[in-house]
Amino acid sequence: MSAHTSPPARPVPTHGPKTCDASGMIEIHRMLLHAFTDALPLVESVAERDVRHARWVGVQLDLISGTLHAHHEGEDARLWTMLETRAPACALHVERMKQQHAEMVVHLRALDAAVPPWELTATRAAAVPVRKALAGIIAALAAHFPDEEDTIVPVVEHVVKRSEAAWFAKHGRAATPKGQTWNVIGAILVAQPDGGRAWKKKNLPWPARVAWRLKGERRYRQFRAAIEGR
């Protein structure tokens, strides 16, 4: 081999026994893309100066913005270093993910800045930067999530331990504001292809499934009615 010839890149490890189940990443991706796509018509449905309705929609915007912030902050804090260390051949993919996160946070910060003035006035003019930020987030998610699912998730399942993967789920749950757990669960369920049946079976122990049926589902329906202006 010539002194100027680079050694062949090591293959990305996506074969052999899995060390964790990373399907939760895809499930959260579905929820976030569905929720942000749904948020744009919610904002557009608020009548001029209907401050009460705007505030309810603002609660939803804050919730999904915080959820996306936490999801990406967890990956930035731990996942990229794990992959760079354990799967060096994945370095280019990781670098692209970092760049996509950096671009995403610009839109998220724009949304976070635009929502409070709109909640106070509920004017069409104040809604313009909210809608613009949402459109930017939706476009960025539509590009980022499939890319991450194709290039990152398969590697995660072969280099990240189950105990390490559990940290990311815990980090996401910790970011959920008090009183919003049922609304997050409801948003996850409605975004899944089967309506969330498999997700409930996998992620909610029997007592939690009962609590969802007896209380959580009703609370989520009430929240949806409020943000939809019904």
Side-chain angles (χ1 to χ4, degrees), residues 43-64:
V43 172
E44 293 169 346
S45 73
V46 175
E48 182 76 4
R49 299 195 181 280
D50 188 347
V51 173
R52 177 180 172 82
H53 188 191
R55 286 176 177 168
W56 273 110
V57 175
V59 172
Q60 172 71 347
L61 295 177
D62 289 343
L63 178 60
I64 61 177

Side-chain angles (χ1 to χ4, degrees), residues 6-7 12 16 46 56 66 91 96 98 137 143 160 191 228:
S6 300
V12 176
V46 175
W56 273 110
R96 191 170 63 254
K98 292 178 180 179
I137 293 168
V160 176
E228 291 170 8

Side-chain angles (χ1 to χ4, degrees), residues 149-170:
E149 290 166 17
D150 286 343
T151 62
I152 299 297
V153 171
V155 182
V156 168
E157 293 191 320
H158 289 83
V159 302
V160 176
K161 298 175 183 176
R162 186 178 304 170
S163 59
E164 294 170 329
W167 178 89
F168 295 98
K170 184 178 180 180

Side-chain angles (χ1 to χ4, degrees), residues 3-25:
H4 300 287
T5 303
S6 300
R10 280 182 262 176
V12 176
T14 56
H15 302 289
K18 290 186 177 182
T19 56
C20 75
D21 176 10
S23 62
M25 292 176 68

